Amino acid sequence: QDQLAESGGGTVQPGGSLRLSCAGSGNSYHRNCVGWFRLAPGKEREGVAAIYTGINKIYYTNSVKGRFTISQDNAKNTVYLQMDSLKSEDTGMYHCAAAAVCPPWPSDGASWPVEGPGTQVTVSL
């Protein structure tokens, strides 16, 4: 069984940085694509960034381009999300999710079959 676990969330001031980690364990069958998704109060869930290994593509939502970087370390079965120049609107619960058959991007991740419990990111003075 494939499982994902996020870590690295916390509270940071605007302009600060955080690095989120998504560690995979078990069967990696579903990891042809791995993405980061966030849910903020009063907002719809949105896809933030994703790596589509099968087609060698990386995607970002427009609001984080130039500020966030997604990367992976296959030896550690871990996908990272480096978040710089954080803004208050980046606040939310961040989940990583994976799929074997990758939905088109943008995606809100709801149909991705493997997802971690999430890590909270709060950007506030």
Side-chain angles (χ1 to χ4, degrees):
Q1 183 177 357
D2 198 1
Q3 293 183 322
L4 302 174
E6 304 91 341
S7 61
T11 299
V12 64
Q13 293 186 351
S17 298
L18 286 172
R19 188 177 79 156
L20 305 184
S21 299
C22 172
S25 61
N27 190 332
S28 63
Y29 169 75
H30 283 100
R31 297 184 218 152
N32 285 337
C33 45
V34 180
W36 285 95
F37 306 87
R38 66 185 177 192
L39 182 61
K43 296 183 180 179
E44 294 186 352
R45 176 173 159 128
E46 68 169 336
V48 176
I51 293 179
Y52 283 45
T53 304
I55 58 173
N56 197 28
K57 291 276 192 181
I58 288 178
Y59 300 102
Y60 297 97
T61 191
N62 285 338
S63 64
V64 308
K65 286 180 180 177
R67 300 189 297 122
F68 290 11
T69 304
I70 189 170
S71 62
Q72 62 182 10
D73 184 333
N74 292 330
K76 296 182 178 180
N77 286 329
T78 301
V79 173
Y80 302 98
L81 184 67
Q82 177 67 41
M83 306 188 295
D84 298 318
S85 302
L86 282 162
K87 304 176 180 179
S88 57
E89 51 262 44
D90 295 318
T91 293
M93 180 66 77
Y94 284 68
H95 298 263
C96 64
V101 180
C102 301
W105 189 265
S107 170
D108 65 4
S111 63
W112 296 40
V114 183
E115 182 170 303
T119 186
Q120 177 68 35
V121 172
T122 302
V123 184
S124 177
L125 289 170

